[in-house]
Amino acid sequence: MATGRTHRPATRSRGIPEATVARLPLYLRALTALSERSVPTVSSEELAAAAGVNSAKLRKDFSYLGSYGTRGVGYDVEYLVYQISRELGLTQDWPVVIVGIGNLGAALANYGGFASRGFRVAALIDADPAMAGKPVAGIPVQHTDELEKIIQDEGVSIGVIATPAGAAQQVCERLVAAGVTSILNFAPTVLSVPDGVDVRKVDLSIELQILAFHEQRKAGELAAAGTVVPAVAARQESAAVRRGTAVGQESVADQGPDGDVPAVMPT
Amino acid sequence: MATGRTHRPATRSRGIPEATVARLPLYLRALTALSERSVPTVSSEELAAAAGVNSAKLRKDFSYLGSYGTRGVGYDVEYLVYQISRELGLTQDWPVVIVGIGNLGAALANYGGFASRGFRVAALIDADPAMAGKPVAGIPVQHTDELEKIIQDEGVSIGVIATPAGAAQQVCERLVAAGVTSILNFAPTVLSVPDGVDVRKVDLSIELQILAFHEQRKAGELAAAGTVVPAVAARQESAAVRRGTAVGQESVADQGPDGDVPAVMPT
DNA sequence: CTATCTTTGTGCACGCGTTCACAAAGACAT
DNA sequence: ATGTCTTTGTGAACGCGTGCACAAAGATAG
């Protein structure tokens, strides 16, 4: 998904592979659901299905955390929930600041995902003086001038950037200077940060472009092999025709040197 | 980043590696910026810096598209913009439907990134009858009953799911049955789809949890090696202390079997 | 206590992606 | 026309991640 990953050195942190870390939240979600249904134990096969991964992969992932399963039985749900939460650092409180309270920033502030799992919205920050004091999701928006003070007072180490692309790098630098060491970036820009600071990027435009690539490929392929097509392909073909696209050859509608600019701008 | 990636078979599509496809939008963005500044050519070194990647990787990526560079000079910006756009299928129109117009769905509808690059919001769909007809981002919201008709009439092949987790799988099935073959999923659920359908997932909660993992690791490491710490680490340490966290050993505040549920819920 | 059956944990091999390092290609100057 | 200098394009080595397949572990039944 989206957005993908990012440009972290990906130095295997404490022996746990980066790919495994990225899947732990997935397992945790599936396990939490089981926990609510009071399921006591679960096999790697069942849990893998619920998380949408291969069971061998899941077992190998868990092996990095230690041996928490019982052969012939499976894994203890509650225990595993606790171990993964601890490994991810979710047993402690993580204050988070959101910078840039436009459409996206407001949506994030209202997002239930922040409240759960130990993440707490410590502050909402926007550069527009007119926004100051206005409550969003029950939290009053504060002006950018307060940024440094808030971060230090609340001990914030995680920042979310939801500003326009043009402001992102500057905001990033102020966050880092004030003590933030992890950033979730929604602005469509490459952020440069000093060593020791983690950046993860979420970019809707990029996700859509990747999907478009695969769509185009699907359309082209099935036109080339006009043979026995599955139902999905058949529908896709008719859709392409409806769209007025020459299936199998790119619609080289020379739209000129595509003049649209900063691609995407949250807010 | 967030966005993470997803669970696609990742079968190298037409010879272009999946990892390369994921970077093409990045290059395109950097190139578009250069194009606006009327820069005629750019070297792999410069462009790589702008896109935040290694120059060797960039050259190899471009080599999959063909040989569009000139040795001793670099790449022609305009030409490359065109070639990448074409490769990604951005020279054609992609109608998109957004299902679930809550906070997040509304933010997506307003998102500039949809409008640019050939993506057009063909319809906004919500299950709440009270929403029907209400304009969001200038587009009237339509009821879920219309979903199939809209998709077929407009020839939509890309759908965006921004519903609560509980509704996502059902919405997904309806989208696929109506002809959608690419889905961008914001709901915190594993979607199961038939072969031939691409799913990409964006999960804010997962991104935050991955950041938390690295934060915790950083805090633990620097406590272990109380030696010469860079400025960033020093700030992090004091932040951890401020937060009341025992640096170097997990705060085993047994919060019980963490009762919070569906982790995250957009809307 | 022994046998059987289930399920974990992992050794091994394979493939993709990244990076290095350099030869080939072409621009540009003389 | 020849030489120099820059930058591309890619062969080759390496490392991470994935998946297979199976031995070891333990539960359970007899």
Side-chain angles (χ1 to χ4, degrees):
Chain A
M1 338 179 234
T3 322
R5 249 121 273 178
T6 45
H7 58 92
R8 276 279 65 217
T11 97
R12 166 172 304 213
S13 334
R14 180 180 146 207
I16 301 183
E18 195 56 32
T20 295
V21 172
R23 280 189 295 268
L24 290 181
L26 233 52
Y27 302 144
L28 184 54
R29 177 175 295 154
L31 284 165
T32 306
L34 291 173
S35 172
E36 266 148 33
R37 291 197 283 130
S38 300
V39 177
T41 62
V42 64
S43 72
S44 64
E45 203 69 49
E46 294 169 315
L47 185 54
V53 303
N54 181 306
S55 71
K57 197 187 297 187
L58 177 142
R59 286 197 300 276
K60 183 149 289 188
D61 283 343
F62 285 177
S63 78
Y64 292 115
L65 307 183
S67 290
Y68 297 147
T70 308
R71 299 179 190 224
V73 177
Y75 298 92
D76 182 277
V77 172
E78 295 299 331
Y79 187 58
L80 206 45
V81 165
Y82 171 70
Q83 288 299 342
I84 295 180
S85 294
R86 194 175 58 88
E87 196 66 50
L88 287 172
L90 304 180
T91 51
Q92 65 181 271
D93 177 61
W94 292 107
V96 170
V97 294
I98 302 175
V99 184
I101 314 301
N103 273 305
L104 182 56
L108 295 175
N110 280 291
Y111 198 78
F114 277 112
S116 65
R117 299 255 169 265
F119 298 102
R120 176 172 56 83
V121 179
L124 305 179
I125 301 174
D126 199 282
D128 182 2
M131 291 285 293
K134 208 162 79 178
V136 171
I139 302 170
V141 174
Q142 295 178 269
H143 189 263
T144 315
D145 291 346
E146 312 290 326
L147 190 146
E148 285 78 8
K149 178 170 166 32
I150 294 167
I151 288 172
Q152 309 208 339
D153 287 357
E154 301 264 357
V156 174
S157 55
I158 300 178
V160 177
I161 298 180
T163 66
Q169 179 63 43
Q170 194 193 340
V171 166
C172 171
E173 282 163 17
R174 286 184 64 184
L175 287 172
V176 170
V180 165
T181 48
S182 287
I183 291 175
L184 184 51
N185 179 32
F186 286 87
T189 320
V190 177
L191 292 181
S192 63
V193 295
D195 278 2
V197 176
D198 282 288
V199 176
R200 294 188 68 85
K201 180 179 53 175
V202 177
D203 195 316
L204 308 184
S205 173
I206 286 181
E207 297 303 316
L208 279 178
Q209 290 176 49
I210 295 173
L211 284 177
F213 172 84
H214 291 297
E215 271 305 311
Q216 177 175 247
R217 190 178 55 79
K218 279 185 253 178
E221 265 178 11
L222 80 94
T227 49
V228 193
V229 283
V232 169
R235 276 196 306 278
Q236 173 51 24
E237 183 175 40
S238 57
V241 170
R242 246 177 282 124
R243 205 158 41 237
T245 304
V247 179
Q249 76 181 66
E250 324 75 304
S251 78
V252 190
D254 188 315
Q255 59 172 50
D258 136 54
D260 93 298
V261 197
V264 188
M265 292 249 308
T267 278
Chain B
M1 313 270 124
T3 310
R5 262 79 333 108
T6 46
H7 58 91
R8 277 277 66 218
T11 99
R12 165 173 303 212
S13 335
R14 179 178 147 209
I16 301 183
E18 194 57 32
T20 295
V21 172
R23 279 188 295 267
L24 290 182
L26 232 52
Y27 302 144
L28 184 55
R29 178 174 297 154
L31 284 165
T32 305
L34 291 172
S35 173
E36 266 149 33
R37 290 196 285 131
S38 301
V39 177
T41 62
V42 65
S43 71
S44 64
E45 203 69 49
E46 294 168 316
L47 185 54
V53 303
N54 181 307
S55 73
K57 196 186 297 188
L58 179 142
R59 286 198 300 275
K60 180 144 287 188
D61 283 343
F62 285 176
S63 78
Y64 292 116
L65 308 181
S67 290
Y68 297 147
T70 307
R71 300 178 191 226
V73 176
Y75 299 92
D76 182 277
V77 172
E78 296 299 330
Y79 188 58
L80 206 45
V81 164
Y82 171 71
Q83 289 299 342
I84 295 180
S85 294
R86 195 175 58 87
E87 196 66 51
L88 287 172
L90 303 181
T91 51
Q92 65 181 273
D93 177 61
W94 294 105
V96 170
V97 294
I98 302 175
V99 185
I101 313 301
N103 274 305
L104 181 57
L108 294 176
N110 279 292
Y111 198 78
F114 278 113
S116 65
R117 298 256 169 263
F119 299 101
R120 176 172 55 83
V121 178
L124 304 179
I125 301 175
D126 199 283
D128 182 1
M131 290 286 293
K134 207 160 81 178
V136 171
I139 302 169
V141 175
Q142 295 178 269
H143 189 262
T144 315
D145 292 345
E146 312 290 328
L147 188 146
E148 284 79 8
K149 179 169 165 33
I150 294 168
I151 287 172
Q152 309 209 338
D153 288 357
E154 301 265 358
V156 174
S157 55
I158 300 178
V160 177
I161 298 180
T163 66
Q169 180 62 43
Q170 195 193 339
V171 167
C172 172
E173 282 162 17
R174 287 183 65 183
L175 287 172
V176 171
V180 165
T181 47
S182 288
I183 291 176
L184 184 51
N185 180 32
F186 286 87
T189 321
V190 176
L191 292 181
S192 61
V193 295
D195 278 2
V197 177
D198 282 289
V199 176
R200 294 189 69 84
K201 181 180 50 174
V202 177
D203 194 316
L204 308 185
S205 173
I206 286 181
E207 296 304 317
L208 279 178
Q209 289 175 50
I210 294 172
L211 285 177
F213 172 85
H214 290 297
E215 271 305 311
Q216 176 176 248
R217 189 179 56 78
K218 278 184 253 178
E221 264 179 12
L222 81 93
T227 48
V228 193
V229 284
V232 169
R235 275 197 308 277
Q236 173 53 22
E237 182 175 41
S238 57
V241 170
R242 246 177 283 122
R243 205 157 44 238
T245 304
V247 179
Q249 75 181 66
E250 325 75 305
S251 79
V252 190
D254 187 315
Q255 59 173 49
D258 137 55
D260 94 299
V261 196
V264 189
M265 293 247 309
T267 277

